[in-house]
Amino acid sequence: MWVVVILLGILAIPITTELMRSGMSDAQRARAPGQFALLSQGTTHYEWLGPERGPVAVCIHGLTTPSFVWRGMAKGLALMGFRVLVYDLYGRGYSDRIRGDQDADFFDRQLVDLLGDQNIDGNLTVLGYSMGGAVAAHFTARHPQRVKQLILLAPAGMFELAGSRIALARDLPIIGDWLFLAAYPWEVRRGIKAEEHLPTTVDGIYDLQHAETTRRGYFPAVLSSLRGLLRTTCEDQHRAIAAAGVPVLAVWAAEDGVIPLSCKDTLAEWNPNAHQVVVPEAGHSLPHTHTDMVLEAIRASRG
């Protein structure tokens, strides 16, 4: 009997740990940079940087690190004259932890809602980093008339995730949730720790990343994205973008352990007109570790 009780107690640890994580308090939101917009799905945190009348650049962050990943990049884009909009995807940063399948429709609705709330229409430069690259590809394929240029930084959506513990957790209902909550927090924190020696243009980013892992709803949101948007590739979207003639710049990291450099060839097959640049010695965190080189690639693409 006691063995069963102990076993059940051990099995309950990941779920109990998630339930005991803190939510976003009013005091924390009061200290947040930027502002909040009440949209159709929930409240979204966003921030504007740069000149008020510059061309709009929308920056979409990745799977695990919220919009603060763009702070160094946004300053550089602002110096180029862009009016830069950064925002937190639902389940991350200061945006609401809301229920729902985090698929392409989910993320497209958030961005369309936010642009509408801010009275922003077309002529957009859309930047997507990692999973944000998949969000950006879906948005651009659906609304090509609104996008002046698509800029992808180590974008996701280039291959299907398979043969890993994460893929197993993604594909198994209920049991997969437990597996994910038991293993993935440790993997994320290990990854953050491994990069703490790297230079960065975002002050305190590693502390901010660690703090994100302590908030309730964060890991379920990540799992929902893996089960939704990131389940399949963005091949159809990239082929549609190519057919629509939207200019694309893709910036890859030569030492990326998350999105391998071989994805450069995949994009070339899907969109032969995409301009591609490789940043030497950079890993997956290139937007904040190799900011100047990424900005130079963007500057050169503008002519």
Side-chain angles (χ1 to χ4, degrees), residues 64-65 180 183-194 209-210 213 218-219 222:
T64 59
T65 302
F180 190 82
Y184 195 69
W186 177 81
E187 290 189 18
V188 170
R189 295 185 185 113
R190 183 184 65 171
I192 297 169
K193 185 70 176 177
Q209 287 175 318
H210 276 294
T213 68
Y218 168 75
F219 288 111
V222 171

Side-chain angles (χ1 to χ4, degrees), residues 124-140:
L124 302 172
T125 297
V126 179
L127 295 91
Y129 163 52
S130 194
M131 184 183 78
V135 177
H138 278 275
F139 176 83
T140 303

Side-chain angles (χ1 to χ4, degrees), residues 80-242:
M80 287 186 203
F82 283 106
R83 183 186 178 206
V84 185
L85 174 64
V86 301
Y87 69 102
D88 289 328
L89 299 173
Y90 289 123
R92 290 93 170 163
Y94 294 99
S95 289
D96 277 351
R97 272 62 173 157
I98 66 172
R99 294 187 178 184
D101 297 331
Q102 295 200 357
D103 54 15
D105 291 339
F106 178 92
F107 289 114
D108 187 71
R109 183 176 175 186
Q110 183 183 18
L111 180 51
V112 169
D113 280 354
L114 180 60
L115 294 173
D117 181 83
Q118 299 296 296
N119 297 312
I120 303 300
D121 190 10
N123 204 34
L124 302 172
T125 297
V126 179
L127 295 91
Y129 163 52
S130 194
M131 184 183 78
V135 177
H138 278 275
F139 176 83
T140 303
R142 293 181 182 203
H143 316 280
Q145 73 284 357
R146 303 183 68 172
V147 181
K148 181 179 179 180
Q149 184 184 22
L150 173 62
I151 299 174
L152 303 169
L153 310 182
M158 310 308 298
F159 59 91
E160 292 189 12
L161 185 67
S164 67
R165 286 180 297 174
I166 294 177
L168 179 64
R170 177 199 64 191
D171 295 338
L172 290 174
I174 302 177
I175 296 175
D177 293 59
W178 184 89
L179 288 171
F180 190 82
L181 290 175
Y184 195 69
W186 177 81
E187 290 189 18
V188 170
R189 295 185 185 113
R190 183 184 65 171
I192 297 169
K193 185 70 176 177
E195 292 192 343
E196 288 181 348
H197 68 285
L198 297 177
T200 178
T201 56
V202 179
D203 292 339
I205 188 169
Y206 303 113
D207 290 336
L208 291 169
Q209 287 175 318
H210 276 294
E212 190 71 8
T213 68
T214 68
R215 297 196 175 117
R216 188 168 59 248
Y218 168 75
F219 288 111
V222 171
L223 179 57
S224 184
S225 294
L226 289 168
R227 288 174 168 168
L229 179 71
L230 297 178
R231 179 174 288 277
T232 59
T233 73
C234 293
E235 178 177 358
D236 291 345
Q237 288 68 40
H238 285 295
R239 291 189 184 279
I241 292 165

